[in-house]
Amino acid sequence: MRPSSSPAAMALLRSMLSRVPTERPVFCLARRSLQSTSRVWRDPIPIPTADPTPPSAIEPPLPLPRSLSPTRALLLLSVPYPPSTWPSHLEMASPLLATASAHLKSKGIGVNVVYDQSLPVPESGMLGMGEEKYQARLYWADGRIRVWGRFSMATLSSADLEKELAYTPSIAAEGWPLLATSAKRRPKEILICTHGARDCRCHDKGVPLLEALREEVRKKGLENEVKIGEVAHVGGHKYAANAILLPTMDMLSNLTAKDAPQVLSQLLTLTAHALSPDKGNGTHLWSHWRGRYGLTGDQQAKLWSTVDPNAKKVQDQRETVQLRFRTFEGEERLVQGKVGENLLEVGKANDLPSLEGVCGGNLECATCHLYISASPAAPVPDPSETEMDMMGYAIGYKEGESRLGCQVKVTAGLGEWCKNGGVIGLPRF
């Protein structure tokens, strides 16, 4: 008897084949080597279909969140080691980076590493070896830049740094810090994430964009006005290629090498918005805008609403509900959350403990792990397969209760659930 070839049977076979786990080496272009993985899903065996999907429609650009994790400023450490030598997690190799990140994160300062090929490579030849003293730049949302020629462990406890961290940019009438005129005259910079050891996509999509931008700068003779550099992991590998514009600290994502002329052109015509809201100029770069460092979530939403009229309408119409959280120590906290926000955003806005969201809410870590009590049953969708996989890294995982805060949206039903006794638990770590 011939096997059934009905659409239902073929769909079942395709589903079964796509979920067979196997041990196999994976070739990563970023590392130029074979690496073994402990658990990788085998690619589905191609099965002819009556209506094949066009190649151009297989991987459309992912919708962007339009908001980065809220920060007050961004500290960039310049290192002489090229990205090809960077480990997956730089903070595990660099005590200075790890300490700076932990110390400054509590003060709302983002920290990252950039490659400066003009710096001499120390004899140690490796990140984190020997005494670490790097050049550093601290960017504020109004264009203020503080520079250190030698940023070290001692700098972290210095009165000089504490004084700088007390700075507060003035807020313009629009609701966000206004870029100072002096900042627009400074040399500009575009940083591309090429951190391939963290995720191959950052290298495979970032490097072509990096090379295209450098070629554009060379062709236009702008070497003294614009610098093109490389930055470590910025979160959101799935949105690669990712670029940070300086001094405005805007992040653009879903970029390709073809976007290089537009990115460079826009950087040279900075406005208070950084990206011109006039979509008639042909750049359309706002469609690539993912957020801006140095702004709160609300400030980024206001900025986005100046470009997308529907964004402001949705923002204004969002209902506010009361949510009940319980800390690891047993303290209950009633906080307000807006319908449409996720629980990570609510936690950060209300300074709740344990909700870190290191990856920026991009489903690439488990540091926004929390518990949603099973009784009464919460009106939330079941976790996706990707969320379930990521929760394998959560400390204190509880079957049937553990969720990632970035994946659970606030709804009117969730507010009613909390009102009727539902509790969102926060883990110790």
Side-chain angles (χ1 to χ4, degrees):
M1 180 180 294
R2 294 179 59 188
S4 172
S5 58
S6 68
M10 296 295 283
L12 177 60
L13 176 60
R14 190 179 297 111
S15 174
M16 293 172 63
L17 290 173
S18 68
R19 295 177 58 84
V20 178
T22 182
E23 294 273 341
R24 66 182 175 95
V26 177
F27 183 70
C28 175
L29 294 179
R31 301 174 182 77
R32 305 293 179 190
S33 63
L34 287 172
Q35 297 196 350
S36 175
T37 58
S38 59
R39 183 172 181 241
V40 177
W41 296 109
R42 176 182 294 145
D43 296 330
I45 297 175
I47 298 177
T49 61
D51 183 21
T53 304
S56 60
I58 293 177
E59 293 186 2
L62 294 172
L64 296 174
R66 312 299 182 187
S67 179
L68 301 176
S69 293
T71 55
R72 295 176 54 230
L74 178 64
L75 179 71
L76 298 175
L77 301 176
S78 297
V79 301
Y81 313 104
S84 59
T85 67
W86 293 350
S88 175
H89 292 74
L90 273 73
E91 64 275 10
M92 297 184 69
S94 168
L96 176 58
L97 178 60
T99 306
S101 297
H103 176 68
L104 296 177
K105 184 177 181 180
S106 62
K107 301 179 184 297
I109 310 299
V111 182
N112 210 333
V113 165
V114 297
Y115 169 50
D116 189 338
Q117 56 187 346
S118 68
L119 297 176
V121 179
E123 291 184 3
S124 62
M126 294 180 62
L127 181 70
M129 298 296 290
E131 184 179 6
E132 293 185 282
K133 294 181 179 180
Y134 304 127
Q135 294 180 8
R137 294 168 288 164
L138 181 62
Y139 285 85
W140 294 91
D142 60 356
R144 175 186 173 98
I145 305 174
R146 174 61 198 278
V147 179
W148 285 268
R150 294 162 66 89
F151 193 99
S152 64
M153 286 288 193
T155 310
L156 292 172
S157 57
S158 67
D160 177 56
L161 178 61
E162 288 302 313
K163 181 180 179 180
E164 180 64 28
L165 295 181
Y167 177 73
T168 301
S170 57
I171 303 299
E174 293 88 348
W176 59 84
L178 188 64
L179 190 65
T181 302
S182 59
K184 301 176 189 178
R185 294 195 294 264
R186 293 194 183 104
K188 300 172 179 63
E189 189 169 359
I190 304 174
L191 298 175
I192 311 299
C193 178
T194 58
H195 195 171
R198 189 66 176 262
D199 192 288
C200 295
R201 289 168 289 188
C202 295
H203 174 279
D204 297 344
K205 296 184 179 182
V207 169
L209 176 61
L210 176 80
E211 294 173 346
L213 282 167
R214 285 177 172 166
E215 178 61 18
E216 283 295 313
V217 169
R218 187 195 63 78
K219 286 194 304 184
K220 296 182 182 298
L222 298 172
E223 290 88 345
N224 295 328
E225 296 182 45
V226 179
K227 182 178 180 180
I228 308 299
E230 299 175 73
V231 65
H233 173 63
V234 297
H237 322 286
K238 58 189 176 186
Y239 304 125
N242 296 301
I244 300 174
L245 306 186
L246 297 174
T248 64
M249 298 195 291
D250 287 284
M251 184 183 290
L252 304 182
S253 298
N254 287 337
L255 294 170
T256 68
K258 294 181 180 179
D259 297 313
Q262 295 176 346
V263 174
L264 179 60
S265 175
Q266 190 64 65
L267 184 69
L268 295 173
T269 56
L270 286 178
T271 68
H273 283 78
L275 300 178
S276 171
D278 178 15
K279 293 190 176 182
N281 60 14
T283 62
H284 303 290
L285 284 184
W286 275 109
S287 64
H288 294 279
W289 190 78
R290 193 167 132 207
R292 181 183 292 184
Y293 290 103
L295 302 186
T296 66
D298 285 342
Q299 288 172 334
Q300 292 179 78
K302 287 181 180 179
L303 181 56
W304 178 244
S305 71
T306 65
V307 181
D308 184 354
N310 293 325
K312 180 173 177 56
K313 183 177 180 181
V314 172
Q315 181 81 6
D316 292 342
Q317 291 179 346
R318 286 196 299 181
E319 178 186 357
T320 299
V321 300
Q322 184 169 266
L323 302 174
R324 186 189 308 273
F325 286 82
R326 180 178 294 147
T327 68
F328 177 78
E329 291 77 15
E331 177 189 359
E332 284 200 359
R333 296 193 188 180
L334 296 177
V335 303
Q336 301 297 314
K338 293 180 179 178
V339 171
E341 290 182 321
N342 62 53
L343 294 183
L344 171 61
E345 293 171 325
V346 173
K348 284 185 171 292
N350 291 278
D351 198 27
L352 296 176
S354 305
L355 294 177
E356 297 289 338
V358 172
C359 74
N362 290 303
L363 196 53
E364 294 172 352
C365 71
T367 58
C368 61
H369 174 223
L370 46 73
Y371 306 115
I372 295 183
S373 59
S375 180
V380 296
D382 292 335
S384 66
E385 186 173 319
T386 305
E387 182 183 352
M388 288 297 297
D389 287 344
M390 195 56 63
M391 281 194 291
Y393 298 97
I395 299 176
Y397 173 81
K398 294 182 181 179
E399 183 72 32
E401 293 189 20
S402 285
R403 294 298 301 267
L404 297 184
C406 68
Q407 298 301 299
V408 180
K409 297 287 187 180
V410 176
T411 63
L414 189 62
E416 191 67 23
W417 174 77
C418 288
K419 183 178 179 180
N420 293 328
V423 177
I424 303 167
L426 300 174
R428 184 173 186 178
F429 303 105

